[in-house]
Amino acid sequence: MRLNKYISHNTKYSRREADKLIEAGEVTLNKKVLHDFGYEVQEGDRIFVKNKPVTAKKSGELTVIAYNKPKGVLVTKKDDRGRATIYHKLPGKFRHFTPVGRLDYASEGLLLLTDSTEVATALMESGLDRTYNLKIDKPVTEEMMNAMKEGLALDDARAGAHEKSKITRMEFAPFAHFEIRAEGKSFSKLRVTITEGKNRELRRFFGHFDAKILDLKRVAFGGIELNNLPTNKTRFFSRKEYDDIHQFMKRKKANDKAEIENRANTKKQEEEKQKNKKHVLKKFHKKD
């Protein structure tokens, strides 16, 4: 594991902070100052940060928490504009945890965090259900309904995006589920379930129809429910939730292994096909 990642994964420091510590000579390897940013930490290495040993987590150890993120808080380690982040709100013991995806500044609700970057990445990239309660500033139209059912591809998906976002084109998969829970002349309340976690996905989707999202709250992720967890509070996973996530990771690793083997077999078959083709051509030329 790369040095800054190793420090971030096993301490309270972010990767950026780890880089600064390395640059400042605050990181040592076997009592010698280590300035190599690209150093790959090996088993048996004794890494110290500010003269304190970095203890690697034991294999298989995992902690996951559910957090009810409030509005007006960023999901990032630091903000260059000095705005509050989740790490200002969370207890210190969770400062090195990695969030599973993002909830934007104006959104609230369920955010999972874990001390395993592997698990965080696997959950972020998964097709697990994400369920949201949202309120838009107009009635739901037939066009919106069709797009929720059938999906949507936009060459210009900047409506609803952050002004500094460089993402312009976006494809939206059909919603896994949606229901209109209340509707008036100037608003609609919906519960929607999607299977992707793209950048400001729902704000961009409804923005395409000139609808502004007034409230957005995630209430479930992959079967984990927010339920009555108070705003700005955390809870640890239950035993069943840990069992579920271990099973999820086991299936993912098995699928990844099968995919690698399939790719290798396909490549081997293609090479054999090309080899046989060359052999046939060689025999043909000899006859001539």
Side-chain angles (χ1 to χ4, degrees), residues 17 67 70 72-92 94-95 105 113 232:
E17 289 169 334
Y67 173 53
V73 176
L74 291 167
V75 183
T76 186
K77 285 279 185 183
K78 285 186 177 179
D79 178 53
D80 55 9
R81 291 162 57 184
R83 291 173 294 178
T85 76
I86 58 170
Y87 296 100
H88 291 120
K89 303 290 185 179
L90 287 165
F94 300 132
R95 283 178 189 159
Y105 187 74
L113 296 102
N232 201 41

Side-chain angles (χ1 to χ4, degrees), residues 19-209:
D19 285 340
K20 289 181 179 178
L21 290 166
I22 296 167
E23 186 177 11
E26 297 280 8
V27 178
T28 61
L29 166 64
N30 302 329
K31 296 186 178 180
K32 293 183 179 180
V33 175
L34 186 59
H35 287 296
D36 183 2
F37 289 88
Y39 180 77
E40 292 286 331
V41 179
Q42 306 297 315
E43 188 175 350
D45 283 349
R46 297 177 64 206
I47 302 293
F48 285 74
V49 175
K50 293 186 174 182
N51 296 318
K52 293 183 179 179
V54 178
T55 304
K57 295 181 179 66
K58 295 177 183 177
S59 178
E61 256 185 25
L62 174 68
T63 305
V64 190
I65 62 170
Y67 173 53
N68 190 348
K69 173 196 168 301
K71 290 181 182 180
V73 176
L74 291 167
V75 183
T76 186
K77 285 279 185 183
K78 285 186 177 179
D79 178 53
D80 55 9
R81 291 162 57 184
R83 291 173 294 178
T85 76
I86 58 170
Y87 296 100
H88 291 120
K89 303 290 185 179
L90 287 165
K93 60 185 176 182
F94 300 132
R95 283 178 189 159
H96 64 290
F97 276 37
T98 301
V100 178
R102 294 282 189 268
L103 281 174
D104 64 47
Y105 187 74
S107 299
E108 61 182 321
L110 180 65
L111 181 68
L112 304 182
L113 296 102
T114 174
D115 57 357
S116 167
T117 52
E118 180 187 13
V119 170
T121 301
L123 290 172
M124 275 188 277
E125 296 177 351
S126 73
L128 293 172
D129 286 354
R130 290 110 158 127
T131 300
Y132 301 83
N133 289 340
L134 56 92
K135 180 181 180 181
I136 61 175
D137 65 350
K138 60 175 54 181
V140 175
T141 64
E142 187 175 346
E143 288 77 14
M144 290 181 198
M145 299 269 282
N146 289 335
M148 286 190 279
K149 291 175 184 176
E150 299 170 9
L152 186 64
L154 298 177
D155 289 326
D156 186 353
R158 288 176 296 176
H162 189 278
E163 59 183 10
K164 292 185 179 180
S165 175
K166 296 179 180 179
I167 300 170
T168 55
R169 192 180 189 283
M170 188 172 286
E171 292 187 9
F172 305 85
F175 287 18
H177 176 76
F178 69 89
E179 61 178 287
I180 301 170
R181 312 189 89 185
E183 198 165 24
K185 290 182 179 180
S186 60
F187 77 93
S188 296
K189 291 183 178 180
L190 302 92
R191 172 166 287 195
V192 304
T193 299
I194 57 177
T195 56
E196 299 175 306
K198 295 178 179 177
N199 178 269
R200 295 173 70 96
E201 181 174 357
L202 290 171
R203 294 187 188 277
R204 290 174 187 264
F205 178 91
F206 287 100
H208 172 66
F209 301 100

